[in-house]
Amino acid sequence: MTTLVIAEHDNVSLKGSTAHTVTAAVQCGGDVHVLVAGHQCGAAAQAAAQLVGVSKVLVADAAHFADGLAENCAAQVLAIASNYSHILAPATAYGKNILPRVAAILDVAQVSEITKVISADTFERPIYAGNAISTVQSTDAVKVITVRTTGFDSAAAGGSAVVENITAVADSGQSSFVSREVAKSDRPELTAAKIIVSGGRGMGSGENFKLLEPLADKLGAAMGASRAAVDAGYVPNDWQVGQTGKIVAPSLYIAVGISGAIQHLAGMKDSKTIVAINKDPEAPIFSVADYGIVGDLFEIVPQLIAELG
Amino acid sequence: MKILVPVKRVVDYNVKVRVKSDQSGMDIANVKMSMNPFDEIAIEEAVRLKEAGVATEIIAISCGVAQCQETLRTAMAIGADCGILVESDAELQPLAVAKLLKAIADKEQPSLIILGKQAIDDDCNQTGQMLAALLGWPQATFASKVVVADGKVSVTREVDGGLETLSLTLPAIITTDLRLNEPRYVTLPNIMKAKKKQLDNVKPADLGVDVAPRVKTLKVVEPAQRSAGIIVPDVATLVAKLKNEAKVI
């Protein structure tokens, strides 16, 4: 029994999601191999080799892997799939894009966004926007799984796996990368942050989000938003926390002016401590908050910043 | 060109669903059902492509129980030209649906298939990608912008950290993200007109597809409840609690 993890990376560095996925892979039992399909991705492969629990890193290096196109990456996984009992990828935009293509060609079902490994073929996963937890058993020969990163700790560095180059598959020629617009941020990445300060429609405008910046700076926090704030155009959509945005589980989540719709709660209710600041005492966010303050955020946020010194 | 749009009938997104007491699944008897929100966006995009003169025909497809007809009528009221119901009382998982859709795509030969990125009941996010793989077509998932020109489709995708734009050769698969468009409201005259549009009924066996589930649900339970929190009177108390009680700052 051997598990293959598809590494998410940008050719230079390995994404944190990969280390969480390795932990889930180790729990499935057996050896863990990591596939790094990219272009001039030696540094990312080295980082993968250092994750504790990984025994081998396979590197497929070709120009047409540079941008993680699903057609090419899935074909590369399929080229080596016959050696594996489990194939895992992080449940990020990257992993979700590639893995179902692999499952379909192998003619197996995919188990999406697992939060717990119960045994080599049985897993827990949330359904209905996290309103229920389903325990599912895969009856297929190969288990193809995406891993919700917040459900698993990050694998530590300090390992020393073998790095092996493998033959790259040919370019599918069906799709090509055109351009990328990266939202710039000096703050920690949302899904990896220990503390998140998140704003909702109650912020009133994009300009008012600046009010949250000193708070985030004081706490070394990432900034997030509800779908309402994103849809209103206050902040870019990659800030969105929720069922259709990012799933986060920081140690502290501060929800400011967020009512707490089901779709938002699905993205953050596994946070260790939740603080809600809202002027409506009936807001659903208070039903999940450990600490709540009822009041005007425009008064409370500056007070909070002052109090933190 | 012809566009196929698969649509799914799901529990309305405003309904708070409960787990059945025997842990066999969700209690969805007598709850309001609607079209999956991402699928409405998919239909809307197809209709806009038709209004822009890019598409000539839009076929909506739904796989599931007889009541999925209502979902197809909604799709036709938004602007689909006709509907196909693949009727089955069995539990249809994404792989089975992808195979059913492939069989229909083989017959209808569309240039584009637009699906929602995920259904809000099983939260799988698989069907579009699986269908693309089975057909051997390129895919652009989580689309927030679609432009068709010269036998290619350029799609802007929502990815972690920002946006990226891909160019795909047609035929291709697109899955919609929330920000692709704002679906229109269906009007009464269009609902009436939709009743007259053609709706074909086929069975999985007619399409030669085995729909047996591959993933077995052992149990479904409520998520662990958070213990009730407290409302603090002022900011000083909050900061003290965060420091001393929760120890998170």
Side-chain angles (χ1 to χ4, degrees):
Chain A
M1 214 170 78
T2 312
T3 299
L4 180 68
V5 170
I6 304 170
E8 179 177 8
H9 63 89
D10 60 5
N11 297 311
V12 180
S13 60
L14 199 65
K15 299 278 187 204
S17 58
T18 309
H20 292 274
T21 308
V22 165
T23 301
V26 169
Q27 291 177 12
C28 290
D31 273 356
V32 176
H33 294 180
V34 175
L35 170 68
V36 180
H39 185 46
Q40 295 171 344
C41 52
Q46 280 307 323
Q50 283 164 17
L51 292 174
V52 172
V54 176
S55 61
K56 195 193 271 186
V57 175
L58 305 168
V59 181
D61 196 313
H64 55 266
F65 290 135
D67 298 296
L69 294 172
E71 296 76 14
N72 293 334
C73 290
Q76 185 64 52
V77 177
L78 287 162
I80 56 172
S82 58
N83 303 327
Y84 297 97
S85 59
H86 293 68
I87 302 176
L88 273 62
T92 55
Y94 180 85
K96 287 173 181 176
N97 190 36
I98 296 170
L99 210 60
R101 281 189 85 98
V102 174
I105 300 299
L106 293 175
D107 193 26
V108 305
Q110 175 183 295
V111 183
S112 293
E113 302 227 15
I114 64 162
T115 48
K116 200 182 213 179
V117 176
I118 293 176
S119 69
D121 66 356
T122 307
F123 313 93
E124 273 187 16
R125 59 177 303 264
I127 54 173
Y128 284 88
N131 282 309
I133 306 296
S134 173
T135 304
V136 296
Q137 184 175 31
S138 164
T139 58
D140 286 313
V142 183
K143 321 298 181 211
V144 175
I145 299 162
T146 61
V147 175
R148 181 172 284 193
T149 54
T150 57
F152 297 88
D153 291 335
S154 182
S160 54
V162 189
V163 178
E164 186 184 306
N165 285 300
I166 59 170
T167 314
V169 296
D171 187 355
S172 79
Q174 292 179 314
S175 62
S176 59
F177 175 81
V178 178
S179 64
R180 179 172 290 130
E181 270 177 66
V182 181
K184 286 196 175 58
S185 173
D186 302 330
R187 299 182 190 284
E189 199 204 345
L190 196 51
T191 50
K194 292 267 174 279
I195 301 181
I196 294 173
V197 175
S198 210
R201 197 194 294 279
M203 295 306 298
S205 73
E207 193 62 23
N208 289 343
F209 264 78
K210 288 205 167 58
L211 189 67
L212 300 181
E213 283 176 10
L215 179 59
D217 287 340
K218 280 244 159 66
L219 296 166
M223 288 181 63
S226 67
R227 185 181 152 192
V230 171
D231 282 353
Y234 298 171
V235 292
N237 57 39
D238 56 311
W239 286 33
Q240 185 188 320
V241 172
Q243 183 190 17
T244 55
K246 293 205 170 92
I247 313 287
V248 299
S251 50
L252 174 60
Y253 188 90
I254 304 181
V256 184
I258 292 177
S259 65
I262 297 176
Q263 107 92 30
H264 186 74
L265 299 183
M268 48 63 83
K269 67 184 166 61
D270 291 328
S271 305
K272 186 164 166 273
T273 300
I274 297 173
V275 170
I277 300 172
N278 204 299
K279 65 181 176 197
D280 175 10
E282 304 295 321
I285 190 79
F286 287 117
S287 68
V288 300
D290 299 279
Y291 305 109
I293 292 194
V294 179
D296 185 354
L297 69 93
F298 295 101
E299 288 166 20
I300 290 171
V301 170
Q303 283 174 22
L304 186 54
I305 293 163
E307 190 71 27
L308 288 168
Chain B
M1 67 183 200
K2 194 189 272 188
I3 302 181
L4 294 192
V5 184
V7 293
K8 185 176 185 182
R9 178 178 181 264
V10 297
V11 172
D12 188 88
Y13 72 100
N14 283 314
V15 173
K16 174 117 171 88
V17 279
R18 304 244 167 248
V19 172
K20 281 189 198 163
S21 54
D22 66 356
Q23 303 191 336
S24 63
M26 305 302 279
D27 189 3
I28 55 168
N30 305 316
V31 304
K32 186 185 176 201
M33 305 291 280
S34 300
M35 188 189 299
N36 181 44
F38 291 101
D39 303 347
E40 274 187 67
I41 295 171
I43 280 280
E44 174 67 32
E45 194 64 19
V47 174
R48 289 185 188 190
L49 286 169
K50 193 177 173 194
E51 286 166 348
V54 176
T56 49
E57 188 186 8
I58 302 166
I59 306 176
I61 307 166
S62 193
C63 304
V65 294
Q67 291 91 323
C68 294
Q69 283 184 27
E70 297 159 20
T71 315
L72 287 170
R73 292 289 175 203
T74 306
M76 290 190 266
I78 295 172
D81 296 293
C82 56
I84 301 174
L85 171 64
V86 183
E87 193 177 333
S88 167
D89 290 330
E91 179 201 350
L92 298 176
Q93 294 180 344
L95 182 62
V97 173
K99 288 178 181 177
L100 294 170
L101 295 174
K102 178 190 186 291
I104 294 174
D106 284 343
K107 209 167 95 205
E108 299 288 344
Q109 299 282 320
S111 302
L112 204 55
I113 304 179
I114 309 179
L115 305 87
K117 79 162 174 180
Q118 76 186 59
I120 60 166
D121 51 1
D122 60 21
D123 285 336
C124 274
N125 195 330
Q126 300 173 7
T127 309
Q129 296 91 313
M130 286 182 156
L131 178 59
L134 294 176
L135 287 165
W137 293 2
Q139 71 185 42
T141 49
F142 327 140
S144 62
K145 191 178 172 202
V146 172
V147 180
V148 180
D150 309 327
K152 292 200 172 207
V153 58
S154 158
V155 182
T156 302
R157 306 177 56 226
E158 297 197 1
V159 294
D160 298 329
L163 301 171
E164 72 174 31
T165 303
L166 303 180
S167 172
L168 312 180
T169 54
L170 294 174
I173 303 273
I174 293 170
T175 76
T176 63
D177 215 321
L178 280 170
R179 277 157 287 269
L180 181 59
N181 61 47
E182 186 89 22
R184 69 194 66 186
Y185 286 105
V186 293
T187 59
L188 189 60
N190 283 341
I191 292 172
M192 301 312 288
K193 272 184 228 158
K195 287 184 179 171
K196 297 201 180 70
K197 290 183 179 174
Q198 190 183 342
L199 200 165
D200 294 336
N201 194 316
V202 294
K203 297 277 189 295
D206 305 336
L207 299 169
V209 175
D210 171 18
V211 296
R214 306 290 193 82
V215 175
K216 219 161 56 186
T217 300
L218 303 181
K219 64 171 179 180
V220 177
V221 297
E222 297 265 357
Q225 291 297 319
R226 294 185 73 92
S227 50
I230 53 165
I231 299 290
V232 295
D234 53 46
V235 170
T237 317
L238 173 66
V239 172
K241 294 256 186 215
L242 290 177
K243 278 187 176 147
N244 307 322
E245 207 173 270
K247 296 186 171 61
V248 285
I249 54 173

Short mmCIF file of all heavy atoms in Angstrom, two decimals, chain B residues 223-243:
data_model
loop_
_atom_site.label_atom_id
_atom_site.label_comp_id
_atom_site.label_asym_id
_atom_site.label_seq_id
_atom_site.Cartn_x
_atom_site.Cartn_y
_atom_site.Cartn_z
N PRO B 223 -22.63 18.09 13.35
CA PRO B 223 -21.27 18.47 13.74
C PRO B 223 -21.23 18.77 15.24
O PRO B 223 -22.27 19.09 15.83
CB PRO B 223 -20.98 19.73 12.93
CG PRO B 223 -22.28 20.21 12.44
CD PRO B 223 -23.25 19.08 12.48
N ALA B 224 -20.07 18.66 15.84
CA ALA B 224 -19.93 18.95 17.27
C ALA B 224 -20.39 20.39 17.52
O ALA B 224 -20.01 21.30 16.80
CB ALA B 224 -18.46 18.81 17.67
N GLN B 225 -21.25 20.56 18.49
CA GLN B 225 -21.75 21.90 18.80
C GLN B 225 -20.70 22.67 19.58
O GLN B 225 -20.01 22.12 20.42
CB GLN B 225 -23.03 21.79 19.64
CG GLN B 225 -24.22 21.22 18.87
CD GLN B 225 -24.63 22.09 17.71
OE1 GLN B 225 -24.65 23.31 17.80
NE2 GLN B 225 -24.95 21.47 16.57
N ARG B 226 -20.61 23.94 19.30
CA ARG B 226 -19.71 24.78 20.10
C ARG B 226 -20.41 25.08 21.41
O ARG B 226 -21.63 25.27 21.45
CB ARG B 226 -19.44 26.09 19.38
CG ARG B 226 -18.66 25.93 18.10
CD ARG B 226 -18.33 27.29 17.52
NE ARG B 226 -17.29 27.96 18.28
CZ ARG B 226 -16.00 27.88 18.02
NH1 ARG B 226 -15.58 27.16 17.01
NH2 ARG B 226 -15.11 28.51 18.76
N SER B 227 -19.65 25.12 22.48
CA SER B 227 -20.28 25.46 23.76
C SER B 227 -20.66 26.94 23.72
O SER B 227 -19.97 27.75 23.10
CB SER B 227 -19.33 25.17 24.92
OG SER B 227 -18.08 25.75 24.64
N ALA B 228 -21.75 27.27 24.40
CA ALA B 228 -22.29 28.62 24.31
C ALA B 228 -21.26 29.63 24.81
O ALA B 228 -20.57 29.41 25.80
CB ALA B 228 -23.55 28.71 25.15
N GLY B 229 -21.17 30.73 24.12
CA GLY B 229 -20.22 31.77 24.49
C GLY B 229 -20.86 32.79 25.41
O GLY B 229 -21.98 32.61 25.87
N ILE B 230 -20.15 33.84 25.67
CA ILE B 230 -20.68 34.89 26.53
C ILE B 230 -20.61 36.24 25.81
O ILE B 230 -19.77 36.44 24.93
CB ILE B 230 -19.90 34.99 27.87
CG1 ILE B 230 -18.40 35.14 27.58
CG2 ILE B 230 -20.16 33.78 28.74
CD1 ILE B 230 -17.62 35.59 28.79
N ILE B 231 -21.50 37.13 26.20
CA ILE B 231 -21.43 38.50 25.72
C ILE B 231 -20.66 39.30 26.77
O ILE B 231 -21.02 39.27 27.96
CB ILE B 231 -22.86 39.08 25.56
CG1 ILE B 231 -23.67 38.27 24.53
CG2 ILE B 231 -22.80 40.56 25.16
CD1 ILE B 231 -23.23 38.42 23.09
N VAL B 232 -19.60 39.94 26.35
CA VAL B 232 -18.82 40.73 27.31
C VAL B 232 -19.29 42.19 27.25
O VAL B 232 -19.70 42.66 26.20
CB VAL B 232 -17.29 40.63 27.04
CG1 VAL B 232 -16.81 39.21 27.27
CG2 VAL B 232 -16.96 41.08 25.63
N PRO B 233 -19.20 42.91 28.38
CA PRO B 233 -19.74 44.25 28.42
C PRO B 233 -18.87 45.30 27.72
O PRO B 233 -19.37 46.27 27.19
CB PRO B 233 -19.84 44.56 29.92
CG PRO B 233 -18.84 43.65 30.56
CD PRO B 233 -18.74 42.44 29.70
N ASP B 234 -17.55 45.11 27.74
CA ASP B 234 -16.70 46.13 27.13
C ASP B 234 -15.42 45.53 26.57
O ASP B 234 -15.12 44.35 26.76
CB ASP B 234 -16.38 47.24 28.15
CG ASP B 234 -15.79 46.65 29.41
OD1 ASP B 234 -14.89 45.79 29.30
OD2 ASP B 234 -16.25 47.02 30.51
N VAL B 235 -14.68 46.37 25.89
CA VAL B 235 -13.47 45.93 25.20
C VAL B 235 -12.39 45.46 26.17
O VAL B 235 -11.70 44.47 25.90
CB VAL B 235 -12.96 47.08 24.29
CG1 VAL B 235 -11.58 46.75 23.75
CG2 VAL B 235 -13.93 47.30 23.14
N ALA B 236 -12.28 46.15 27.30
CA ALA B 236 -11.25 45.77 28.27
C ALA B 236 -11.47 44.34 28.75
O ALA B 236 -10.52 43.54 28.84
CB ALA B 236 -11.27 46.74 29.47
N THR B 237 -12.74 43.99 29.02
CA THR B 237 -13.06 42.63 29.45
C THR B 237 -12.70 41.63 28.33
O THR B 237 -12.15 40.56 28.59
CB THR B 237 -14.56 42.51 29.77
OG1 THR B 237 -14.96 43.65 30.50
CG2 THR B 237 -14.86 41.25 30.53
N LEU B 238 -13.03 42.01 27.11
CA LEU B 238 -12.76 41.12 25.98
C LEU B 238 -11.26 40.82 25.90
O LEU B 238 -10.86 39.65 25.80
CB LEU B 238 -13.25 41.77 24.67
CG LEU B 238 -12.85 41.02 23.39
CD1 LEU B 238 -13.55 39.67 23.33
CD2 LEU B 238 -13.18 41.83 22.15
N VAL B 239 -10.45 41.85 25.94
CA VAL B 239 -9.01 41.65 25.80
C VAL B 239 -8.47 40.82 26.97
O VAL B 239 -7.66 39.91 26.77
CB VAL B 239 -8.28 43.02 25.70
CG1 VAL B 239 -6.76 42.83 25.75
CG2 VAL B 239 -8.67 43.71 24.40
N ALA B 240 -8.98 41.08 28.17
CA ALA B 240 -8.55 40.30 29.34
C ALA B 240 -8.90 38.82 29.15
O ALA B 240 -8.08 37.93 29.42
CB ALA B 240 -9.21 40.85 30.60
N LYS B 241 -10.12 38.57 28.66
CA LYS B 241 -10.55 37.16 28.43
C LYS B 241 -9.68 36.49 27.38
O LYS B 241 -9.30 35.33 27.52
CB LYS B 241 -12.00 37.14 27.96
CG LYS B 241 -13.00 37.64 29.00
CD LYS B 241 -13.74 36.48 29.61
CE LYS B 241 -14.84 36.95 30.54
NZ LYS B 241 -14.98 36.05 31.68
N LEU B 242 -9.39 37.22 26.29
CA LEU B 242 -8.58 36.63 25.22
C LEU B 242 -7.18 36.31 25.72
O LEU B 242 -6.57 35.33 25.31
CB LEU B 242 -8.51 37.58 24.02
CG LEU B 242 -9.80 37.75 23.21
CD1 LEU B 242 -9.60 38.77 22.10
CD2 LEU B 242 -10.27 36.43 22.62
N LYS B 243 -6.67 37.16 26.63
CA LYS B 243 -5.31 36.94 27.13
C LYS B 243 -5.26 35.85 28.18
O LYS B 243 -4.41 34.96 28.14
CB LYS B 243 -4.78 38.24 27.75
CG LYS B 243 -4.23 39.18 26.68
CD LYS B 243 -3.55 40.38 27.31
CE LYS B 243 -2.94 41.26 26.22
NZ LYS B 243 -2.95 42.67 26.53
#
